[in-house]
Amino acid sequence: MEALSPLREGPDPNEAAMDVAGDLSKSMIKFYRRYPSITHRQHRSFSLQIHASLCRLMLTITMASEEQVKNSTAPAMFDTEAANCLMKELRSTFLAGKTKSYEWRSSQLKSLLKMLEDSDKQICDALFSDLSKPEMEAYIHEIAMIKSSCKLALKKLKDWMKPEKAKTNLGTFPSSAEIVPEPLGVVLIISAWNYPLLLSVDPVIGAIAAGNAVVLKPSELAPAMSSLLAKLLGKYLDNSAIKVVEGAVPETSALLEQKWDKIFYTGNGRVARVVMAAAAKNLTPVVLELGGKSPVLVDSNIDLTVTARRIVSGKWGCNNGQACVAPDYIITTKQYAPVLIDSLKHHLVKFFGEDPMNSPDMSKVGHSRHFARLKKLLDDDKISGKIIHGGQTDKSNLKIAPTIVLDAPEDSLIMSEEIFGPLLPIVTVEKIEDGVEFINSRPKPLAAYLFTNTKQLKEEFVSNISAGGVVINDVTLHLMVDTLPFGGVGESGTGAYHGKFSFDAFSHKKAVLYRGFFGDAPARYPPYTPGKLRLLKALLDGSLFGIIRALFGFS
Amino acid sequence: MNADQEMRWSVEELRLTFKSGKTRSVGWRKTQLRAILRLIHENEDTLFQLLKSELGKHPVESYRNEIGVVKKSADRALNCIEKWMSPKKGRLPLVFFPASRKVLPEPLGVVLIIGSWNFPISLTLDPLIGAISAGNTVVLKPSELSPNCASFLANILPSYLDPKAVKVIEGGREVSNQLLQYKWDKIFFTGSTKVGKIVMAAAANNLTPVTLELGGKCPAIFDFLSNSDLKVAAKRVASGKWGPCAGQACIGIDYILVEQKFASTLIEQLKKTIKKFYGDDAKNLKNLLKIINKGHFDRLRSFLEDPAVANCIVYGGSFDDTRLIIEPTILLDPPLDAEIMTEEIFGPLLPIITMDKIEESIEFINSKPKPLALYAFTKSENFKKRILAETSSGSVTFNDTMIQFLCDDLPFGGVGQSGIGRYHGKYSFDTFSHEKAVLERSFYFELEPRHPPWSNFKLQFLRLVYNYDYVGMLLLLLGLKRPSNS
């Protein structure tokens, strides 16, 4: 459709730059083969330099070509009219029944898998350019996650699509019943910038598996990934049923005016309210994947080394705290806090070196607006003098050092909003059990974590704390278990996905009842008599004896 | 204390009760469910009378659609509650070793149930059973259009159920609006599409999840049938159209689609059935319910005021203003753009639309919003398959009407314009629960490559982990496999 991708004459400048990048990486591999003794550090700094010069090159080419485009045609805007047009096209594809077949679904999932396999490098580059995400993180948290989710969907698709038999009762005898999953129709997926690949493609997998036509709106705050997704999905998937619309607020508003059969939104509570209110106009069901302040309760009878490692890597090793399931704050006892803090500091140095601001293993802060917000949290008067580790910021490179804040007051900014960054407040309590009370006095988080060896505390935590998910003795790991539903409750969201749950999120479960023409109980029909009432009572009770009694006229 | 403050206080009290954890215990839930059973058992006659006077329901109908339904749901919940509450455990891939996972259902908190007037008892108490079995505290807001049933519930519930956990708030639109401003953990609404949108928009302010049980124009497809089958089918159509509350039911048949050649045979059979069920004296109809109020009565009459529609009446069409009763009425091929074919009828008028080929009915249904229920009378397996695959609706019932409502194992709820979410049986429990994902790990055996600083070795290792390639992992760990550079 023209409105979506303005036609450009001649070679695509981005493609040209990508080709150059491809050639360069090939020669780098040759270079490494010749000099196998090169260290990891040297490799990183070398590739960083190359990346920087490549970015400059791409920018120059793009600007030059944009100049050309400006001279030839005005760029097309994605407005309400374009959205109408898009919806019309997708609706007709869906109504034609194309997306419903098993063959279509599996072929799309297969191409998606191929896309991921072919584009490893481009994806890592885009993630690096948007977020300085280390390749390792890009791989484990994004590429590998969706690969396994795609493989699972391919493997289980036939099972998932099968109707489920349902029991019938005496009241409807003789009959048979089943529950048939069917696609909802045309769905909208609005994704976030922090895991711009995972949070876009993972729901798309669910939507395709369930047989829907899809529009994906990637986040404009991760521009490189947004345009890469537009390019890749356009190239590998069926464009008559799967579209990417790039853009920011005006484009999203135009999209939200349409009547969707499901809206799947990942992001924050403020926008989620706007999305749900827009959905209400058309009675569109929503899945809202939000965040919240996910607490970590740390008991004192634990394996300290393992605990500290898991927390440090979950907080700073997952996109530098910019993950919806990242630990937001720690609660521990007054006595244990110093021990825990020492261990956290120790592991921070071990993982990210003495100068974490320049560590290649740490992502940067997503964008400048977000940086300013985090800076405000740090500059809050209420926590002055309470920063016991880190606190350095570098505005030009959008870097903030891993920071620990001890005993921030409950009304400080850092303790009242979701942090979503490398700052970690530690709250101390007298008794560890008080932590449960503390968590329960706040909005329900997306995840709640507990480190302990006490069975009783585990049980209390699991049964009394309401959160999207609960992990004992680890953090963030539940996200990787595809047999667990992933989603929030209350302020942290509505609905869940991952594995079979993704399929369900994009399906309607149709109740189907088959009847023959025999076995008609006259009690159902007027004219009504007391005898019919008795029989009906017996039928609904499912008591055979009662039915016989009623039929023979005893009461 | 004004009304608003009083309501706020009620909700606050429910919140405190929920926080105390009382409603989470199996014991509490079972006591409440037993109390509901006791309530309907001890007040059966009062309920029969109330439903008779307010809606004109015959006790058989009241039992079939209201009291019996509640009893069945409560019995079932009592039997299954322990099973429903128990966490679903499962195995994990070896790479997570040692760990365990489970999905644990937990109550959502304080929930609001807004009932409807057409089944004033079952559409309030049935969801209530779900909310209680899931361990929530509840505000029940019955419909002001069946005021006697509403005040019956308001008076009687506190003497059976825990008044600190279940409250009935009576009132009209103003009260509903006020209630919708509060922060709920779930809103369960039964009613019209128009109000459904208002409820969901209000819920959006607090990110409250909603279950919306709405309606829509439920079609019935009528294929060729042999004479004996036709007799049974006509009975089932009649009881699905005029039986439940005189067509004032969300899953009642709205219109019939039939082939032109077969239409007259069907109409003749329907006429015979109507006479048998309700008598042939238009002034003295039996077993037929009245229309809930003058407003709805006039709305239904206005459908027939259009001369183009009035000309299509082939049976019935008389209105009894004093008793608010409308005769079972059949219309043949009313104009498709007339109100009777664009609005949900929700009354005893039955349009029959003819087509050249019965297969065209699929396209006809798809050109309209998705209905709550779809009925099809056919013996052709092939046609059944096509209907299932090519149309979308909350439920599909072959060769019968209404009866899917009684199947606890089938989810009951709409799709698209006919609603969001589902209930009945275990689905009611799920509707009022949050499925919490729980993962438990121990401190032994740490998978080193999970943590930074990152290296090529770790990347290679994790690639193998994600492929569950245990042999590869072992080789790599033993140094027998070289990490690749790519």
Side-chain angles (χ1 to χ4, degrees):
Chain A
M1 212 171 72
E2 266 178 299
L4 282 184
S5 54
L7 285 173
R8 286 184 189 176
E9 298 295 328
D12 182 349
N14 287 319
E15 214 139 72
M18 289 298 178
D19 287 346
V20 178
D23 288 344
L24 260 172
S25 61
K26 268 182 215 150
S27 37
M28 270 174 69
I29 291 170
K30 272 188 203 150
F31 175 80
Y32 281 132
R33 291 227 172 97
R34 199 167 301 159
Y35 301 106
S37 62
I38 194 163
T39 66
H40 178 59
R41 284 293 126 111
Q42 283 168 320
H43 154 76
R44 279 313 311 194
S45 84
F46 185 32
S47 47
L48 278 176
Q49 277 168 22
I50 291 187
H51 183 88
S53 32
L54 263 177
C55 284
R56 271 198 301 278
L57 177 69
M58 271 166 78
L59 198 68
T60 333
I61 300 174
T62 319
M63 271 161 63
S65 73
E66 257 164 19
E67 204 59 44
Q68 271 178 7
V69 173
K70 253 184 222 158
N71 293 341
S72 53
T73 50
M77 255 288 290
F78 187 83
D79 52 12
T80 307
E81 203 178 313
N84 284 342
C85 220
L86 170 82
M87 181 50 103
K88 228 185 198 161
E89 188 191 351
L90 289 177
R91 184 72 63 198
S92 77
T93 306
F94 179 75
L95 284 178
K98 185 181 187 184
T99 61
K100 285 187 182 175
S101 75
Y102 170 80
E103 289 69 30
W104 184 86
R105 304 186 200 190
S106 70
S107 77
Q108 293 307 303
L109 291 174
K110 276 180 198 145
S111 329
L112 198 61
L113 204 56
K114 183 159 184 329
M115 173 190 108
L116 293 169
E117 259 144 28
D118 293 353
S119 327
D120 253 19
K121 183 88 188 83
Q122 280 163 285
I123 291 169
C124 288
D125 287 348
L127 286 170
F128 192 80
S129 123
D130 286 335
L131 297 155
S132 304
K133 203 173 263 197
E135 188 189 348
M136 181 81 172
E137 272 192 41
Y139 184 76
I140 49 177
H141 297 148
E142 305 223 35
I143 302 172
M145 287 274 287
I146 39 179
K147 263 193 197 166
S148 68
S149 136
C150 203
K151 281 181 192 158
L152 180 83
L154 270 169
K155 197 171 131 199
K156 301 274 180 166
L157 189 56
K158 273 216 169 101
D159 280 347
W160 292 347
M161 287 173 69
K162 263 189 209 138
E164 190 187 315
K165 286 276 165 232
K167 269 194 233 148
T168 54
N169 55 27
L170 269 175
T172 64
F173 179 85
S175 61
S176 68
E178 60 184 8
I179 301 166
V180 181
E182 65 175 26
L184 290 165
V186 187
V187 302
L188 172 65
I189 295 168
I190 303 176
S191 144
W193 56 266
N194 57 333
Y195 286 88
L197 177 74
L198 174 72
L199 299 178
S200 303
V201 179
D202 209 7
V204 168
I205 292 170
I208 293 175
N212 297 281
V214 194
V215 171
L216 169 68
K217 213 300 281 168
S219 170
E220 73 280 12
L221 297 174
M225 183 53 80
S226 172
S227 66
L228 181 64
L229 280 169
K231 192 183 114 191
L232 290 180
L233 262 57
K235 187 170 152 197
Y236 284 86
L237 300 182
D238 176 354
N239 287 307
S240 66
I242 302 161
K243 304 256 185 209
V244 178
V245 174
E246 289 190 82
V249 178
E251 288 80 3
T252 311
S253 310
L255 286 171
L256 284 176
E257 281 169 27
Q258 296 296 315
K259 180 173 161 40
W260 303 93
D261 296 299
K262 183 103 191 187
I263 301 177
F264 187 107
Y265 168 77
T266 308
N268 64 53
R270 194 177 45 79
V271 178
R273 285 170 164 82
V274 177
V275 170
M276 190 169 167
K281 293 202 177 94
N282 295 308
L283 289 171
T284 303
V286 288
V287 171
L288 305 173
E289 293 286 341
L290 316 175
K293 290 182 84 67
S294 300
V296 189
L297 185 61
V298 183
D299 199 357
S300 49
N301 59 359
I302 46 162
D303 182 329
L304 182 61
T305 312
V306 173
T307 304
R309 293 166 68 93
R310 287 178 180 172
I311 293 176
V312 170
S313 127
K315 174 79 184 177
W316 291 285
C318 295
N319 204 21
N320 210 358
Q322 302 169 101
C324 50
V325 289
D328 189 284
Y329 62 98
I330 288 179
I331 308 173
T332 191
T333 57
K334 271 204 170 62
Q335 294 106 321
Y336 198 63
V339 188
L340 179 65
I341 291 166
D342 278 347
S343 184
L344 289 175
K345 284 184 186 167
H346 172 75
H347 283 100
L348 269 172
V349 174
K350 220 170 136 190
F351 285 179
F352 304 107
E354 292 290 349
D355 180 17
M357 301 281 273
N358 289 317
S359 163
D361 294 329
M362 192 173 273
S363 306
K364 65 171 185 175
V365 174
H367 48 93
S368 54
R369 214 171 63 213
H370 191 54
F371 182 89
R373 195 185 61 82
L374 287 167
K375 187 86 174 50
K376 213 171 97 198
L377 297 189
L378 272 180
D379 294 344
D380 183 6
D381 284 342
K382 289 186 176 125
I383 61 161
S384 69
K386 296 187 186 286
I387 297 171
I388 54 166
H389 185 81
Q392 303 86 341
T393 56
D394 173 358
K395 197 173 173 192
S396 55
N397 290 316
L398 295 181
K399 290 255 180 180
I400 295 179
T403 301
I404 301 176
V405 182
L406 184 62
D407 282 327
E410 272 199 58
D411 60 345
S412 59
L413 284 177
I414 203 169
M415 279 311 291
S416 37
E417 58 183 83
E418 182 178 359
I419 297 169
F420 217 68
L423 321 177
L424 179 70
I426 297 182
V427 173
T428 54
V429 287
E430 291 295 332
K431 288 201 316 292
I432 194 70
E433 288 77 15
D434 298 345
V436 174
E437 180 60 27
F438 186 91
I439 297 168
N440 272 338
S441 67
R442 302 169 150 266
K444 298 176 179 179
L446 183 57
Y449 307 113
L450 167 70
F451 286 88
T452 186
N453 265 322
T454 317
K455 198 163 169 248
Q456 203 192 339
L457 184 63
K458 274 182 207 169
E459 278 165 9
E460 195 191 336
F461 195 86
V462 169
S463 59
N464 288 345
I465 283 182
S466 184
V470 169
V471 182
I472 309 291
N473 295 334
D474 211 323
V475 293
T476 68
L477 210 64
H478 60 305
L479 191 100
M480 300 194 178
V481 182
D482 50 36
T483 45
L484 285 177
F486 180 73
V489 57
E491 285 290 316
S492 55
T494 301
Y497 72 130
H498 282 190
K500 170 81 169 13
F501 302 99
S502 293
F503 177 84
D504 291 342
F506 288 102
S507 297
H508 162 56
K509 298 295 179 74
K510 184 154 72 178
V512 182
L513 185 69
Y514 295 87
R515 289 267 287 155
F517 290 96
F518 324 101
D520 223 25
R524 284 174 58 194
Y525 308 117
Y528 301 122
T529 62
K532 286 186 178 177
L533 179 59
R534 277 199 300 278
L535 179 61
L536 210 67
K537 282 188 180 178
L539 275 171
L540 284 170
D541 269 358
S543 117
L544 261 179
F545 186 60
I547 294 168
I548 294 165
R549 284 207 316 179
L551 281 174
F552 284 98
F554 309 118
S555 65
Chain B
M1 198 157 60
N2 66 28
D4 179 38
Q5 261 176 335
E6 202 173 326
M7 271 197 287
R8 259 175 215 285
W9 205 85
S10 291
V11 179
E12 202 43 50
E13 190 184 354
L14 292 178
R15 177 94 37 215
L16 286 175
T17 310
F18 181 73
K19 280 209 168 146
S20 76
K22 177 186 184 183
T23 61
R24 287 173 182 253
S25 76
V26 194
W28 183 86
R29 304 186 199 192
K30 283 189 149 179
T31 319
Q32 301 307 307
L33 291 171
R34 281 198 202 100
I36 291 181
L37 280 174
R38 213 153 38 78
L39 182 153
I40 52 163
H41 182 69
E42 287 170 10
N43 298 284
E44 195 176 274
D45 291 335
T46 324
L47 281 168
F48 281 154
Q49 272 165 27
L50 259 176
L51 291 166
K52 179 82 194 166
S53 69
E54 196 147 56
L55 294 149
K57 281 194 192 182
H58 190 282
V60 177
E61 218 184 303
S62 293
Y63 193 86
R64 183 189 61 191
N65 297 339
E66 306 242 31
I67 299 168
V69 172
V70 174
K71 180 172 157 27
K72 195 170 59 74
S73 287
D75 274 337
R76 166 121 178 160
L78 265 173
N79 281 335
C80 302
I81 188 156
E82 267 119 353
K83 201 172 89 201
W84 292 345
M85 282 173 70
S86 61
K88 272 175 270 167
K89 292 191 183 163
R91 286 157 52 105
L92 281 169
L94 196 62
V95 289
F96 289 99
F97 178 84
S100 71
R101 71 158 174 97
K102 59 184 174 188
V103 178
L104 182 70
E106 67 175 22
L108 291 166
V110 188
V111 303
L112 172 65
I113 296 173
I114 303 179
S116 165
W117 55 264
N118 53 342
F119 296 95
I121 303 301
S122 59
L123 294 184
T124 45
L125 295 189
D126 205 8
L128 177 68
I129 290 167
I132 288 176
S133 30
N136 298 280
T137 56
V138 190
V139 166
L140 197 63
K141 167 42 201 97
S143 169
E144 73 278 14
L145 295 179
S146 47
N148 299 339
C149 289
S151 39
F152 168 79
L153 288 173
N155 294 330
I156 205 98
L157 242 58
S159 51
Y160 285 87
L161 300 179
D162 182 348
K164 286 199 158 65
V166 181
K167 294 197 184 287
V168 181
I169 295 181
E170 286 181 86
R173 191 180 297 172
E174 244 168 57
V175 170
S176 302
N177 281 343
Q178 195 56 46
L179 285 173
L180 285 176
Q181 312 246 312
Y182 305 155
K183 182 168 166 52
W184 304 94
D185 296 300
K186 177 98 190 191
I187 301 177
F188 186 106
F189 168 79
T190 308
S192 72
T193 304
K194 199 179 92 214
V195 182
K197 288 177 183 174
I198 299 173
V199 170
M200 188 169 169
N205 288 330
N206 293 310
L207 291 176
T208 304
V210 287
T211 297
L212 304 175
E213 295 287 341
L214 315 174
K217 291 181 84 66
C218 302
I221 303 173
F222 222 96
D223 200 359
F224 281 98
L225 293 176
S226 70
N227 240 343
S228 59
D229 289 344
L230 178 63
K231 270 186 199 154
V232 178
K235 272 199 226 170
R236 291 177 179 175
V237 167
S239 82
K241 177 68 194 181
W242 298 289
C245 219
Q248 305 172 91
C250 50
I251 53 169
I253 296 178
D254 192 281
Y255 60 93
I256 287 182
L257 298 169
V258 68
E259 265 185 40
Q260 201 137 30
K261 288 170 279 185
F262 197 52
S264 55
T265 324
L266 171 66
I267 292 171
E268 283 318 307
Q269 189 60 43
L270 281 176
K271 284 183 188 169
K272 272 188 222 160
T273 316
I274 292 172
K275 284 180 182 150
K276 200 169 137 205
F277 284 2
Y278 310 104
D280 44 9
D281 179 6
K283 286 268 165 285
N284 228 333
L285 292 163
K286 293 168 295 181
N287 302 316
L288 196 68
L289 265 61
K290 64 168 197 153
I291 305 304
I292 180 71
N293 59 26
K294 192 80 174 72
H296 276 273
F297 187 82
D298 291 340
R299 184 185 61 90
L300 286 163
R301 178 151 47 193
S302 75
F303 284 152
L304 302 185
E305 268 162 12
D306 182 347
V309 175
N311 284 339
C312 303
I313 298 176
V314 291
Y315 184 85
S318 71
F319 290 74
D320 180 344
D321 275 278
T322 49
R323 292 199 299 156
L324 293 183
I325 281 185
I326 300 178
E327 193 186 358
T329 301
I330 302 175
L331 301 101
L332 186 62
D333 281 323
L336 295 180
D337 55 354
E339 270 199 331
I340 197 166
M341 281 311 292
T342 55
E343 304 272 314
E344 183 175 0
I345 297 171
F346 221 65
L349 316 176
L350 177 67
I352 293 179
I353 308 291
T354 59
M355 24 205 49
D356 291 333
K357 282 243 163 291
I358 195 68
E359 285 77 14
E360 289 165 27
S361 55
I362 291 180
E363 206 178 311
F364 186 91
I365 291 168
N366 283 341
S367 70
K368 307 198 162 280
K370 298 177 181 177
L372 182 56
L374 189 156
Y375 302 101
F377 290 86
T378 179
K379 292 200 123 174
S380 153
E381 289 304 318
N382 201 22
F383 191 37
K384 282 185 194 170
K385 266 192 206 131
R386 277 198 62 195
I387 291 172
L388 271 192
E390 293 173 30
T391 66
S392 180
S393 57
S395 67
V396 176
T397 304
F398 289 110
N399 300 329
D400 210 330
T401 57
M402 308 292 291
I403 202 157
Q404 75 274 19
F405 191 83
L406 292 178
C407 252
D408 289 322
D409 271 12
L410 284 180
F412 182 81
V415 57
Q417 297 295 291
S418 55
I420 294 177
R422 46 184 175 253
Y423 73 129
H424 282 192
K426 168 80 160 47
Y427 298 99
S428 294
F429 177 85
D430 292 343
T431 292
F432 289 103
S433 297
H434 162 57
E435 292 209 311
K436 184 159 67 178
V438 181
L439 180 68
E440 184 172 344
R441 297 254 296 149
S442 78
F443 293 103
Y444 314 111
F445 191 73
E446 187 69 342
L447 207 60
E448 209 52 32
R450 273 177 66 193
H451 306 299
W454 308 127
S455 67
N456 230 334
F457 172 85
K458 289 184 177 178
L459 182 57
Q460 178 74 2
F461 185 82
L462 284 165
R463 278 183 202 274
L464 298 170
V465 167
Y466 272 93
N467 284 319
Y468 301 125
D469 181 351
Y470 298 108
V471 180
M473 275 187 262
L474 197 66
L475 291 179
L476 189 70
L477 284 171
L478 294 173
L480 295 173
K481 189 177 178 134
R482 273 179 63 83
S484 69
N485 281 314
S486 58

